[in-house]
Amino acid sequence: MTTIPFFFQNTKSGKKEPFQPKDPNSVTIYSCGPTVYNFAHIGNIRSFLFVDVLRRALLLGGYKLNQSMNITDIDDKIIKESIKQNVSVEEFTKPWTDAFFKDLETLQVQKLEHYPKATESIDDMVTLVETLQSNGLAYERDGNVYFSIQKFNQYGELSKIDVSGMKSGVRYDADEYEKDDVRDFVLWKNQKTKEEKCWHTRIGMGRPGWHLECSAMIRKIYGTGIDIHTGGIDLLFPHHENEFAQSVGAYPEETFVGTWLHCEHLLVDGEKMSKSKGNFYTLRDILNKGFEPRAIRFHLISAHYRSKLNFSLGKLEESKVALDRIQNTIFRLLELNPSVDLNTNDWNQIHFTDPEIQTLDSDFLNAIADDLNVPKALATLYEFVRLVNQSLDQTKEKNADEFFKQCLGFFYKINSLFAVFSFEKQKETLDGISEDWILDQIANRKLAKQNKDFATADNIRKELEKIGILLTDTKEGNTTWKKAQ
Ligand code: AMP
Ligand code: ZN
């Protein structure tokens, strides 16, 4: 199969480079995933959607993928919370891990090949610490094992952090790190209190430091270095710098990562959205305000991944309106019943014969192959929507049936990247409200009730009432809806 040449802005070199995976039939990609101690906020979700866009873009480019995202299910916060709630680490993290996967499903994020958990990779982490010890890069103090950054002369190469002022032997053993603070970081922590989750291992009773898991999982899954490593820009230092030090320090003869990609932040009022600042929305918060998942997805992927995106409900509403307009064009097209073979996932194999669509198709692919330029791809999409609307208004001279069939095919191809359009004929319910949306609201209400968040559940019912939709809870625990008379 032929592949489209891609170009990526590699954080390591600071340059846009041609993408050269070791094997285009098995491109290896590792992405730093969530720490499962709470609902993800939509800033976190932006970084997970970026991974999905990367995946879908490479699939469109004809590549085959072998992708991973880790689940950090052990860290300081998790230990503290599980002790506070008097439950095991596993019991504490399970519902948050489930919520994470549910969010991804809601947002049409494709499943990756691997989701390794930190707690299931302890052996691999121990082996890595031993390798670093035998390479003379790690030392022990008070039962903790640290990485000695002075012994690793490539330290700082990835994040370009200045290590000249660094003090030798100053150690950092928490999972939360100050930005710009260059210190020896902890690889392995000994048990501090009896309640703390620990593992009995060859290097003692304890648990891994946060950075260790990603290096160890990459080794465990791929056996060697990988083509692409991604994460939010806040992870560049110290997390990725430390990962780089661990992996290159342990296996200096190998290339650890071909291309490093970093996604910019989602901001609120110019500040990074974060749990600690309290300026965040979870996906549920936004769904409860009545936004559909597809509008949220469309909004969060519409900016370039290397641009900051300032979030507001007003801007989300604008994306929703833009998306509805495109969707209306698709509904108009569907009314013509163009026959397209929908049983293909190989949209990269579809070739268009109409010259206008051919041009738009190559513009679209060139945009995403150019460091995932989604805004440029969107510009092509809008141009295409204009063309389809004009053609629908004028009835084209050329073979209209064939042309509209190709239009629908191209929408499908575009949707294999965006995953926000519906290809079912519009079901008429209430003015502009689809049944799917109502069912989503009912599902959100059910979830809120399960979480004992009765205020939200009540609010959803009242909001639906305001627009003339009445809910009835059945004895079996289901909910039905009807139009108010
Ligand atoms: P965490 O669950 O905190 O480990 O973060 C998961 C991912 O979300 C990481 O890749 C972070 O870099 C990313 N992230 C955290 N805050 C934001 C934000 N405001 N915008 C975009 N990505 C973020
Ligand atoms: Zn990581």
Side-chain angles (χ1 to χ4, degrees), residues 11 27 59 66-67 156 166 191 204 207 240-241 266 278 283 304 324 328 344 381 394 414 445:
T11 312
V27 177
L59 288 173
N66 183 5
Q67 232 177 316
M166 142 203 136
Q191 189 174 25
R207 68 181 179 88
H240 288 164
E241 190 68 55
L266 187 70
L283 180 58
H304 194 281
D324 284 348
N328 271 333
T344 179
L381 168 59
Q394 294 162 9
I414 292 173
R445 177 168 169 262

Side-chain angles (χ1 to χ4, degrees), residues 32-35 41 43-44 47-48 231-232 234-235 264-266 272-273:
C32 292
T35 307
H41 61 63
N44 302 130
S47 76
F48 305 138
D234 55 327
L235 299 186
E264 257 297 350
H265 284 145
L266 187 70
K272 178 190 168 194
M273 180 176 285

Side-chain angles (χ1 to χ4, degrees), residues 41-43 265-275 277-282 286 300 308-313:
H41 61 63
I42 55 167
H265 284 145
L266 187 70
L267 310 181
V268 184
D269 299 328
E271 276 201 85
K272 178 190 168 194
M273 180 176 285
S274 77
K275 298 249 166 69
K277 290 201 188 93
N279 61 350
F280 66 91
Y281 292 102
T282 64
I286 309 282
L300 291 176
K308 294 181 171 64
L309 175 63
N310 214 340
F311 182 81
S312 71
L313 292 173

Side-chain angles (χ1 to χ4, degrees), residues 97-116:
T97 311
D98 292 348
F100 164 71
F101 284 114
K102 177 84 183 65
D103 283 357
L104 297 194
E105 201 184 312
T106 304
L107 292 171
Q108 302 291 323
V109 171
Q110 286 191 351
K111 280 227 156 15
L112 307 183
E113 285 68 26
H114 315 273
Y115 291 101

